[in-house]
Amino acid sequence: IRDRAITDQFEPGSTFKLITAAAALTGGSADTACVYYACRGSKDYGRFIIHDVHEYGWLNFEHAFAKSSNVAFAEIAFGVGAVPLYSFARDFGFGCRTGISLPGEVRGVLREPGDWSARSVPTVGSGQEIAVTGLQLVGAYSAVANGGYLMEPKVIRQILDEDGRVVEDARWSVVRQVIEPDVAETLKKLLACATEYGTGKNACVSELSVSGKTGTAQKAATGSRRYDPSKWVSSFAGMAPSDDPQLVCLVVIDEPEGRGLGGEVAAPVFARIMERIVRGPGHEYVLRGRGDYVESERGPGRLDRTVANRPSHASSDGGGQWDATTASNAGDPFDSYDGEPAGYATDGFVRAGRGG
């Protein structure tokens, strides 16, 4: 049995902008009062051009996130810088295994800043030039939902003997604190804006407040260094209820028909999943609370955000090899569609299964 949540990797696209926003807010390079000029749909950086489909003009931080402006987030990413952006991504669990007790988990791909090109800061900041697993992305969003604490994923909650006595209690474990609680609250508000008036409006559910972020990644054409204009990986990562999240859900759809926008393809699926939960049996139990947690034995606490002595993870552990030369010549990764950037993939790089 293939568990695609841990064996398949894909470019997260704009869902990764949550990490870029966290890095900017924590490092002080930006705050919600900052305003960015998204130009008239594109910005020329000399060696490359970044595109938005819509001419947004001036956007504040909140609107840049909700509308998923590539141009605005390029500026935000440049403000963060390569090393802090990389370090925050690592802190949130990207580029390394989660440690879940299931076989076949891959690391994903997150190259060190020394291997980045001139355009890597804005592309990584928009969820390109990297590959993640579904569980890694869910873990990052869960960290925001949990007030800034990255949790160790568990498969089994308890093991009971034949008499019903608890033999092993797998309580929630904190891996480390990745952001401060106030930053987590700000990020949750940004996610709520994305579903209120941004690209994630189709994720809304009448009985439950939801928040989240869309993602759309274009796939590489087979046997080519360019993208296939008809193939996409669409996603939506969200949480509910918005004010006190108890559930995090990721929907990833491989090669949907049509334009493949995450807001049009994956967000409605997220809404239907949430509807079935809140309308189904046992929904009070599901939403009533998180329960207790303990600190992980793997070294809880905030990481020192430095690159020194960190191993390289250019290899994807069976999910494909990242080739910086190939990627940099893969066409324009910022041929965006409704604010969602195209993927930055090499041949065979995106391997998410159809339907997530």
Side-chain angles (χ1 to χ4, degrees):
I1 299 176
R2 184 176 181 179
D3 189 344
R4 294 187 181 275
I6 61 174
T7 63
D8 290 14
Q9 54 189 353
F10 59 97
E11 293 191 62
S14 289
T15 55
F16 193 80
K17 286 175 180 174
L18 183 71
I19 312 305
T20 306
L25 294 171
T26 298
S29 62
D31 58 40
T32 54
C34 287
V35 178
Y36 305 90
Y37 184 53
C39 303
R40 299 179 62 84
S42 65
K43 184 170 183 176
D44 189 344
Y45 285 90
R47 298 176 63 181
F48 56 91
I49 300 175
I50 294 178
H51 298 278
D52 277 329
V53 161
H54 300 293
E55 297 182 7
Y56 290 119
W58 290 98
L59 292 169
N60 62 25
F61 194 95
E62 176 187 300
H63 284 76
F65 186 88
K67 299 294 185 180
S68 199
S69 169
N70 299 323
V71 175
F73 259 83
E75 294 299 306
I76 293 171
F78 276 127
V80 173
V83 172
L85 184 57
Y86 168 86
S87 297
F88 266 88
R90 284 299 301 265
D91 280 7
F92 270 94
F94 297 105
C96 53
R97 298 184 182 91
T98 66
I100 193 169
S101 56
L102 293 173
E105 183 180 20
V106 300
R107 298 177 186 271
V109 177
L110 177 63
R111 296 175 301 138
E112 292 189 351
D115 298 323
W116 290 13
S117 68
R119 69 184 303 165
S120 292
V121 168
T123 55
V124 172
S126 289
Q128 302 169 181
E129 290 193 45
I130 63 174
V132 307
T133 66
L135 186 60
Q136 287 174 338
L137 193 56
V138 166
Y141 274 68
S142 297
V144 173
N146 285 318
Y149 292 90
L150 182 68
M151 311 297 286
E152 185 176 350
K154 304 287 185 179
V155 178
I156 299 173
R157 182 174 183 178
Q158 288 182 328
I159 298 177
L160 308 178
D161 63 16
E162 58 184 9
D163 297 321
R165 293 187 295 266
V166 177
V167 176
E168 182 177 342
D169 188 359
R171 292 182 294 171
W172 304 117
S173 301
V174 177
V175 177
R176 57 183 165 268
Q177 183 182 5
V178 293
I179 51 175
E180 297 295 335
D182 61 328
V183 175
E185 287 302 315
T186 299
L187 293 173
K188 285 188 279 189
K189 292 177 182 178
L190 292 175
L191 291 169
C193 291
T195 54
E196 179 181 350
Y197 64 84
T199 58
K201 291 183 290 185
N202 289 331
C204 292
V205 179
S206 59
E207 300 97 328
L208 185 68
S209 61
V210 301
S211 55
K213 187 73 188 71
T214 56
T216 309
Q218 194 172 2
K219 295 180 66 173
T222 303
S224 170
R225 292 185 176 185
R226 304 192 65 83
Y227 291 107
D228 188 326
S230 64
K231 293 182 179 181
W232 307 86
V233 173
S234 304
S235 61
F236 183 87
M239 58 189 68
S242 296
D243 56 345
D244 184 23
Q246 306 296 317
L247 299 173
V248 170
C249 175
L250 170 66
V251 176
V252 181
I253 300 178
D254 186 32
E255 299 185 15
E257 297 180 356
R259 295 192 299 172
L261 298 177
E264 296 180 0
V265 177
V269 177
F270 174 91
R272 290 196 293 271
I273 292 172
M274 292 297 109
E275 287 173 351
R276 295 189 66 176
I277 290 174
V278 298
R279 296 173 185 175
H283 64 275
E284 298 91 348
Y285 173 79
V286 172
L287 298 177
R288 72 183 183 183
R290 300 188 182 95
D292 298 329
Y293 64 83
V294 296
E295 290 188 342
S296 170
E297 296 178 355
R298 295 193 292 149
R302 183 179 296 279
L303 285 183
D304 177 20
R305 291 193 169 96
T306 60
V307 180
N309 300 321
R310 287 188 172 178
S312 174
H313 297 293
S315 173
S316 57
D317 286 354
Q321 179 74 28
W322 176 256
D323 184 334
T325 302
T326 302
S328 64
N329 294 319
D332 188 354
F334 283 95
D335 289 336
S336 61
Y337 295 79
D338 283 355
E340 293 297 334
Y344 200 104
T346 57
D347 183 20
F349 189 70
V350 178
R351 303 189 180 197
R354 180 172 293 278

